[in-house]
Amino acid sequence: LALLPLKVTAFLIASVTFTLALLLRPVFGLFALALVIPFSAVLRLPLGPTSIGATDLLVGATGFAWFLQFASRNPRYTIRKSPLLWLILPFLVVLLYSTLAAQSLEHAIPELIKWSEVALVYFLGVQLLDERHRLPFVLFLLLAAAGEATIGIRQFVFRIGPEAFELGRFLRAYGTFGQPNPFAGYLGLALPMGLALSLWASHTAWVRRKQAGQAVRSGFLALLILGFTAVITAGIVASWTRGAWLGVTASVVAVLGLYSLSGHIIILL
């Protein structure tokens, strides 16, 4: 290690450390996956007719780590019911059958792998995530979305990207997705979570404002979530995707409506 470049050494040490942590606590793989997903398009290597990326490796490694814990008869790792899995499996069977007759395996295989990983991630989420993991996991999701939005905002302000995305003095944000629409779609999925958590965290901070031991912690958490949500919102605006704006508007109305009793009644009517 002493003879290797510093960056290579640091990478190897980090990789070994993470691998050991993953083997001991497979749930760490899901947290890492939450951070890597938006950047998976730029972290891929060609492999025959398809390619492999950090997301594929993480999903496989997390599944393998869970299997090792389960096979060792660790009482903490039992198989929990996964009801939605029975809705995903028939779709995978149909997808596999259609892949056999596909004209282009180069395009068919990645789709089959992607949806297989969706099923596996859902299964692992049910098995590994419990109540104590919910808030940290959602915070990781918001952190990744805020990071992706920051990249898009930089592209929007400094006009970094193809001429086709130019918008007067600015440029439509596309992040690491290569296109504004999927970029805005990804952020649009994260925004309702951020808004709901912002409402909850703000209310909690207000209730605990006079509790010396909890006020600072609750206030910091509320500011952190509000900051993530604001950056994600700015990223969606910078994408200049009207379809995403409509979807976000609907989700915001739903979250705000369900948050209040009167709004809840109006939506039910």
Side-chain angles (χ1 to χ4, degrees):
L1 289 178
L3 300 177
L4 295 175
L6 180 60
K7 292 183 179 180
V8 175
T9 302
F11 175 78
L12 290 176
I13 293 175
S15 299
V16 172
T17 303
F18 176 75
T19 300
L20 293 175
L22 183 64
L23 291 173
L24 293 174
R25 294 289 186 271
V27 71
F28 289 163
L30 294 180
F31 282 88
L33 192 62
L35 295 177
V36 168
I37 283 177
F39 310 102
S40 58
V42 296
L43 298 174
R44 304 193 68 84
L45 294 174
L47 184 65
T50 182
S51 61
I52 188 171
T55 301
D56 308 310
L57 294 175
L58 270 175
V59 172
T62 304
F64 182 67
W66 174 84
F67 176 76
L68 289 180
Q69 292 285 0
F70 174 74
S72 66
R73 300 184 182 275
N74 189 327
R76 295 178 54 187
Y77 296 92
T78 57
I79 296 182
R80 304 173 184 171
K81 292 182 179 180
S82 307
L84 294 182
L85 193 61
W86 301 109
L87 298 177
I88 302 175
L89 289 179
F91 174 73
L92 288 178
V93 173
V94 174
L95 192 62
L96 176 61
Y97 179 77
S98 63
T99 300
L100 298 177
Q103 295 181 355
S104 174
L105 290 178
E106 184 178 354
H107 294 90
I109 291 178
E111 288 299 311
L112 180 61
I113 294 175
K114 179 180 69 177
W115 286 104
S116 300
E117 289 177 348
V118 168
L120 181 56
V121 168
Y122 166 71
F123 176 79
L124 292 174
V126 173
Q127 306 308 315
L128 296 174
L129 295 174
D130 53 35
E131 188 173 349
R132 59 178 175 166
H133 297 132
R134 291 175 184 173
L135 179 58
F137 184 71
V138 174
L139 288 178
F140 269 66
L141 290 173
L142 293 179
L143 173 62
E148 179 69 21
T150 302
I151 295 174
I153 294 170
R154 180 172 177 269
Q155 294 166 344
F156 177 78
V157 174
F158 296 102
R159 300 180 64 183
I160 303 173
E163 295 182 0
F165 296 161
E166 288 185 358
L167 194 69
R169 294 176 54 193
F170 303 101
L171 183 138
R172 294 182 65 189
Y174 57 92
T176 58
F177 289 84
Q179 293 287 337
N181 290 345
F183 166 76
Y186 167 72
L187 296 183
L189 293 174
L191 184 60
M193 292 190 298
L195 178 59
L197 271 184
S198 296
L199 294 171
W200 167 79
S202 299
H203 175 73
T204 302
W206 176 257
V207 171
R208 297 177 178 176
R209 67 188 186 280
K210 295 182 180 180
Q211 301 176 14
Q214 298 291 333
V216 175
R217 180 182 176 183
S218 299
F220 174 77
L221 180 62
L223 289 176
L224 181 66
I225 296 173
L226 286 168
F228 286 158
T229 306
V231 173
I232 294 170
T233 303
I236 295 174
V237 174
S239 72
W240 217 258
T241 303
R242 285 167 290 184
W245 293 353
L246 291 174
V248 165
T249 301
S251 65
V252 168
V253 170
V255 170
L256 294 178
L258 293 172
Y259 183 73
S260 64
L261 179 60
S262 59
H264 193 187
I265 294 175
I266 290 173
I267 289 178
L268 291 178
L269 293 176

